[in-house]
Amino acid sequence: MRSSRSSVSRALGPAALATLLLIPGTASPAGAAGEADSPSLPGIPTTLADGRPCTAGSAKKTAQVPWAQSFLGIDRAWELSRGAGVKVAVIGTGADLRRVPALDGRVTGGPDVVAGGTVRDDCVGYGTFLAGIVAGGQQQGLKAAGVAPEAEVIAVRATGGHGATTPEALAKGIRAATGSGAQIVLVALSVPSAPKQLKDAVLAAQKAGALVVAPASAREWESRVGTSQAGNGPAYPAALPGVLAVSSVGPGGEPEAPGTEKGRRSQPRLSAPGVSVVGPGPGGRGQFTGRGDAVAGAFVAGTAALVLSYHPRLTAEQVAHRLESTAYGAVGDTPDPGIGLGIVDPVRALSAVLPEERPQPPSGTRQASAPAVPPLDPPEARNRALAVSGGAAGVAVLVAFLAFVLPRGRRRGWRAGRGPVTETG
């Protein structure tokens, strides 16, 4: 192999190598849509330690387009749908309804099933952040916005003031979300067990026609309650039948490193961005970064709202099927342990015609079995891949040409070749 490279280098010579330097660098792996966003923004916590004050507002912002928004092609999806007419319940730590402009007119307070009353604030801030990912509005001077900015979010609190929850509180939160008429229920919390009360609440939501979305792992909460309480096994409600379990990926489109996967975890059905994600938080106009499978779940819930708004006759099961069938990387029947069936693709989820939706031929006409829907790269990755493949083809032609011409030139001492011989009479 080394001798082969050496002979190619000798054949190319300085001129060809200089030409290669003019070709842009190779593309990142499919799905890589850029670097993680600015680390200078404060991180949003999932829970607060006892005695710790409520999360303070952020004084920082970024004018860049968040990587997750670009990665998923959200701007292109808005050409078809913005989620109008769809209700999404976010069951978490509440929402700051008075001080966050990104949530104005988009998020309403639902029941607080732990302390009673109606949600008006969010001491932890995580629920505010997730509500902004689902449906936050774009603010002047900022590029960040929610996936479905015209959807209605109902913030349900199923935690104590510092973010801790129980299976019983979670069950009450799901029932409250169902009673509010939510068509999509994002359960932003995970618990280690599923007593009958929780199972019944999930089943009731599904019977009411709601799509239940939940984080595939519980590591964000277990890491704050102490390793003695963390353990292996499934996370709930993600592990319950019919629940759309979601895991997180980073800017490269890959799941988080194995070292971060400790704790309870269920097999994900889909993945979405969940590392260094930019969004609003409590206390004002400032921005935060967040991470975790619940953040990824917010992107999936927002995409489901886009789909349901664009295809209003779909059932919850059909929405989930469309999200899974059109996911980036959705090939074959065996889910990937890290990302499930693939990474959610909002544009394709809206626009693809699934095999079962194609017109049927007249009776008696033979029809070949419909092929599976082929996966598509995220828009920017596809564009880069096309550019690079074109450049690579050019390089291949150049290499072949120079490998043939240059050695012949050397043998002739770079003299012009003889012209064709003409016979004379």
Side-chain angles (χ1 to χ4, degrees), residues 117-300:
T118 301
V119 170
R120 299 184 183 280
D121 54 22
D122 181 7
C123 180
V124 178
Y126 201 57
T128 302
F129 185 85
L130 297 178
I133 297 299
V134 173
Q138 196 170 62
Q139 302 301 295
Q140 185 175 5
L142 303 179
K143 300 293 185 181
V147 179
E150 292 184 6
E152 178 187 350
V153 172
I154 303 163
V156 177
R157 181 181 291 131
T159 71
H162 290 78
T165 192
T166 64
E168 293 73 24
L170 215 51
K172 291 179 182 178
I174 295 171
R175 288 194 178 276
T178 305
S180 70
Q183 297 140 290
I184 299 159
V185 177
L186 171 60
V187 184
L189 306 163
S190 288
V191 289
S193 63
K196 186 177 184 299
Q197 188 176 357
L198 179 56
K199 293 178 181 177
D200 289 347
V202 169
L203 185 59
Q206 294 168 339
K207 287 183 176 180
L211 174 62
V212 181
V213 181
S217 77
R219 62 180 181 268
E220 287 82 27
W221 292 270
E222 291 179 331
S223 64
R224 286 165 174 79
V225 298
T227 55
S228 62
Q229 296 185 41
N232 297 321
Y236 295 95
L240 295 177
V243 175
L244 191 56
V246 183
S247 64
S248 61
V249 296
E254 299 178 351
E256 295 189 66
T260 64
E261 298 294 331
K262 297 178 181 178
R264 294 186 177 274
R265 182 174 178 81
S266 300
Q267 172 63 50
R269 290 172 59 184
L270 279 177
S271 291
V275 178
S276 299
V277 171
V278 170
R285 298 177 178 271
Q287 294 176 303
F288 293 78
T289 60
R291 67 182 301 130
D293 290 357
V295 174
F299 280 106
V300 170

Side-chain angles (χ1 to χ4, degrees), residues 325-387:
S325 300
T326 58
Y328 170 68
V331 178
D333 298 325
T334 304
D336 183 287
I339 66 171
L341 292 171
I343 301 170
V344 71
D345 186 337
V347 176
R348 196 150 186 271
L350 288 168
S351 60
V353 177
L354 302 184
E356 64 269 20
E357 297 171 342
R358 293 171 181 163
Q360 296 297 317
S363 178
T365 303
R366 185 176 178 181
Q367 180 188 30
S369 59
V373 178
L376 296 180
D377 291 344
E380 291 193 2
R382 289 198 292 270
N383 295 340
R384 284 201 304 273
L386 289 172

Side-chain angles (χ1 to χ4, degrees), residues 64-66 68-70 72-84 102 106 131-139 142-151 298-299 301-307 309-310 345-351 379:
Q64 297 178 347
V65 178
Q69 196 168 313
S70 175
L72 296 178
I74 300 299
D75 290 354
R76 294 178 61 210
W78 288 340
E79 296 174 9
L80 298 176
S81 173
R82 297 174 69 88
R106 293 172 170 83
I133 297 299
V134 173
Q138 196 170 62
Q139 302 301 295
L142 303 179
K143 300 293 185 181
V147 179
E150 292 184 6
F299 280 106
T303 302
L306 295 180
V307 170
S309 178
Y310 193 65
D345 186 337
V347 176
R348 196 150 186 271
L350 288 168
S351 60

